[in-house]
Amino acid sequence: MQKTNLICDIDGVILHNNDLIPGADVFVRRVLEQNINLLFLTNYPAQTPKDLQNRFYSAGIEVPENCFYTSAMATADFLKRQSGEKAYVIGEGALIHELYKAGFTITDIDPDFVVVGETRNYNWSMIQMAARFVADGARFIATNPDTHGPQMHPACGALCAPIERMTGKKPFYVGKPSAWIVRAALNHMDAHSENTLIVGDNLRTDILAGFQAGLETVLVLTGVSQVADIDKMPFRPQHIYSSVNEIDLF
């Protein structure tokens, strides 16, 4: 079946930090010129689609704001399907903004959910309060399971770890490799799995999430995973390319 939709990771595929991966701009232009339904999907919850659009623009790539979908957006979409409307949030403005948009009250009084994202302002009081709420029955939700970013910056999974250890309760991780975020992204772009490709640089997140959601998977070797890593996995990506600019599936 002709693939008319593309879900694409950002870091390690299009950008390294804020620097363009060579040829990624050509690839994005080619996809848009062919009227492929394109969505950039990121586990990072601390930037809004507008922030990401500006990040791309600074790297020399112009794409519409509606081409971005984040784990913060997916978390809000997930919580809208649950009972409860109050959340205690450990995270930055982008996550709080999405939850407000979804109709949630952000509170530290008897919340229905404890929601953890990414923040550099993590402290003892947040850990204590979140753990107390989870122990008392609040549902524990996290934007993504990533433990660290560049230069070992602590990420969401690391922030969840002390709460998990204290309470004995694991969070539901919305982001990749959960199939939930891919399904939510498909809904966001009004697409179906059978005619959608997912492109990523990480076998354990992008490619596994794609498999679990029934998409055709494309691994690029400009980021986390390399050819030697493939034999360590019980699954294989359907396609492997050195970089996105070499993808010839459209």
Side-chain angles (χ1 to χ4, degrees), residues 199-216:
V199 178
D201 69 302
N202 192 325
L203 287 163
R204 296 178 184 276
T205 56
D206 310 307
I207 304 305
L208 180 55
F211 269 123
Q212 294 188 134
L215 277 62
E216 192 168 336

Side-chain angles (χ1 to χ4, degrees), residues 4-18:
T4 55
N5 308 291
L6 174 63
I7 294 175
C8 188
D9 186 36
I10 297 174
D11 293 291
V13 177
I14 305 297
L15 302 173
H16 277 310
N17 295 323
N18 291 319

Side-chain angles (χ1 to χ4, degrees), residues 45 72 75 89-100 115-117 143:
T75 298
V89 181
I90 296 174
E92 300 291 345
L95 175 58
I96 292 170
H97 173 70
E98 292 298 335
L99 293 174
Y100 272 134
V115 181
V116 180
T143 58

Side-chain angles (χ1 to χ4, degrees), residues 106-156:
I106 311 303
T107 183
D108 60 2
I109 302 172
D110 193 27
D112 302 301
F113 303 97
V114 167
V115 181
V116 180
E118 310 268 350
T119 181
R120 296 189 178 190
N121 299 312
Y122 197 56
N123 60 46
W124 186 95
S125 177
M126 290 177 178
I127 298 170
Q128 183 269 334
M129 196 170 294
R132 181 165 61 84
F133 291 143
V134 170
D136 287 345
R139 282 159 281 169
F140 190 8
I141 311 296
T143 58
N144 63 287
D146 303 346
T147 56
H148 62 279
Q151 300 179 333
M152 298 304 288
H153 289 158
C156 180

Side-chain angles (χ1 to χ4, degrees), residues 155-212:
C156 180
L159 306 191
C160 289
I163 303 166
E164 184 178 331
R165 288 291 299 273
M166 292 168 71
T167 63
K169 296 182 179 180
K170 293 181 179 292
F172 174 73
Y173 287 111
V174 173
K176 299 174 284 187
S178 170
W180 165 262
I181 194 171
V182 178
R183 292 293 181 186
L186 289 169
N187 289 338
H188 185 78
M189 63 196 300
D190 195 23
H192 299 284
S193 58
E194 60 267 20
N195 56 8
T196 303
L197 286 172
I198 185 167
V199 178
D201 69 302
N202 192 325
L203 287 163
R204 296 178 184 276
T205 56
D206 310 307
I207 304 305
L208 180 55
F211 269 123
Q212 294 188 134

Side-chain angles (χ1 to χ4, degrees), residues 223-244:
V224 172
S225 298
Q226 299 301 308
V227 171
D229 299 317
I230 296 173
D231 286 339
K232 302 171 187 175
M233 298 293 158
F235 54 86
R236 299 285 186 274
Q238 277 106 340
H239 309 278
I240 305 168
Y241 292 92
S242 295
S243 72
V244 286

